[in-house]
Amino acid sequence: MGNEVLIKVENLSKSFGDNEVLSNVNMQIEKGEVIAIIGPSGCGKSTFIRTLNQLEDAISGAIYVDGEDITAKGVDINDVRRRVGMVFQHFNLFPHLTIKKNLTLAPVKLGIMNQEEADAKAVELLARVGLSDKADAYPDSLSGGQKQRIAIARTLAMNPEVILFDEPTSALDPEMVGEVLSLMKELADDGMTMVVVTHEMGFAKEVADRVMFFDEKGIKEEGTPAEIFNFPQSQRLKDFLSKVL
Amino acid sequence: MKKKLSLLLLGLTAALMIGCGKKAEDTGKQVSTIDDLEGATIGVQLGTTGDIYASDYEGDKAGTVIERYNKITDAVQALKQGKLDCVIVDEQPAIATTKDEPTLMILDEPFALEEYAICIAKDNDELTAKIDEALTELKAEGVIDQIIANYIGDDTKGTCPYVTPEGTTYENGTLVVATNVAFPPYEYYEDATPVGIDMDIIKAIGDKLGMEVEVEDIEFDSIINAVDSHKADVGIAGMTMTEERLKSINFSIPYTTATQVIIAPDPNATGEGLSFIENFKRNFLQDKRWKYLTKGLVNTLIIALCAVLVGVLLGFIVAIVRVTYDKTGGWKLANLICKAYITIIRGTPMMIQLLIIYYVVFKSVNVPKVLVAIIAFAINSGAYVAEIMRGGIMSIDAGQMEAGRSLGLSYRQTMISIILPQAIKTTLPSLLNEFISLIKETSICGYIGLMDLTRGGDIIRSITYEAFLPLIAVAIIYLIIVQLLTMGVGRLEKNLRKSER
């Protein structure tokens, strides 16, 4: 594509105690790209995506966001995280706040917007995710699919440059997966840079620009959806695809 | 809920009426002379000369048992119920105590003779000299005899009260006097004011020295401690000079002599006690004695409420330190201090903490007792609140912190706007329960002479020599308050569950 590089990962390794989960991972993400990360459970794909905003710190290697190494000492990680949004498997909405407050809390606390601006932005985003009528409701009154759409809106409220999705549909009932995926597709179509850890092969096939197959502590195979799904090279990927497709 | 409560109260009242007329079984031994003391179960007041003399019999071959009580009225109560064979006590309190008790008698044969004196701290020879001088003068002027005659003797009783000489000024400050107001006629309550022979004598001495007398009502066995630790300047409580006491305290010259006598059940007595209604009137209505309970209740509530508020603040800080250490590894030293605090407070009895704070920490500082109690209970409560809060914070899903941090909020901002509001909400019922249990725990305030609800009941007991009614009344009041608050907590929990839906 030849676009501007947004995130670049160099020789990233990570272990929990003696257990190494990532070993020398290299990759880069360009602006506007949608990356799907697939792979068997426990292959380190969630850990990888969480290192991209330093919810997990790397043991060695470097991660550049906009050319700045965010693993370096003295980096204002809070500032980095404002640019790198994240959507979680379990939504992690703030149950003590209304939906609107969930969206406006961070922008207002961080001084990015005043309350009026944030409120206006929240109204706009709620309309975009199709939940305008829930502005004053509390998260517990929402269905799983609605919660995840709100979580996406909450991330969008920060105007991030990239959004990391950590298995966004895995905790949803099957009939709610569609509404979240179609919202994500809309975001992709609008040009949002996205990294999505997912088990939804249909989404990876249809929406992603590139698919990365994680196995054994790193990226085993990567390519366009057509390459990965139609012409898998390694035996591991073939085995994996035969199980999930 | 209300129905249950009133049923419970009804049941208690019924139990109370039955209990009133009931008597425990006799232990058997009739004490008629001093020789009968061997093998008897003897009641005394802890730390009195009666205790010291009776202790000579303790552990002898005949199996004599000494039961030590905080108040002489408790001992007499136990004697009435047949738990004791006799009580050894000073003559005048014995007369006052048995006046309304037709089933008890005082043996004609005196047990021992002794002299009462005022105790002063060992390092305060100046005050000892002044008091000796004042006492000598008062004796010479006949004031001491006048005061004693005003309380003792059928002909002279109430005829010659002590009056402060005209022109007396108090330019030399206050004289803090420790006593145990449960020892008539030397000290007892009349309209919530301590009166009696000792009270008048010390007033007369204060007048001589130009010092205003301030009375502190504490347990008898704490008086010497209080004087020694300068919580009080002097102690006066029908106290006899003994060798043991002289080791820790100085005594003035004696101001009067008294006899130790033996109270025993009267084998010829037949009379029935007072009826329930009369008893009720005597315990609560006469001289507005219910006021001891209401006054005490106010103190109890003030102490519990203030202590829990300060305790929550303290516990909150400790919880934050502990959680921050657990989650980020920071604040290592602060965490160690907090851990030590929690370990010490939760590992020692509340009463000991209260006594240490009063007698050791505030040894030489004069702080109002209510404040001392609030501080002691707040420090105690803080340790428990800290663990409640820590549990509350830890119970919040880790995803909440991650969500906050992933939006760019700092640890602190996430803690304050996201974690704590949820943690406080989940711990609110537990915090209120802590307040409820604190209300009951404050019943030990009497140990530093503070009049809380329990102490209020104790004072009534010391006036009426009746254990049952005041204790039951105090219990019922605690029960009602605790029950009301528990119902409040239940309602709150319901409301909390309802919101966020």
Side-chain angles (χ1 to χ4, degrees), chain A residues 50 53 78 81-82 84 88 92-96 105-106 109-110 138 140 154 158, chain B residues 397 399-400 402-410 413 417-418 421-422 425 500-501:
Chain A
R50 287 160 60 86
N53 71 347
N78 295 328
R81 285 173 179 155
R82 289 175 210 180
V84 182
F88 299 87
N92 299 353
L93 295 181
F94 307 133
H96 62 301
L105 177 80
K109 279 264 174 256
L110 294 170
Y138 283 90
D140 282 354
R154 181 176 66 182
M158 293 296 294
Chain B
D397 180 37
Q400 292 290 311
E402 288 186 349
R405 297 306 305 273
S406 77
L407 287 167
L409 296 170
S410 65
Q413 285 170 320
S417 337
I418 293 165
Q422 296 182 55
K425 207 166 183 181
E500 298 182 8
R501 292 273 152 198

Side-chain angles (χ1 to χ4, degrees), chain B residues 33-46:
Chain B
T33 67
I34 290 176
D35 297 336
D36 293 333
L37 286 178
E38 283 176 24
T41 305
I42 305 169
V44 295
Q45 184 179 6
L46 179 66

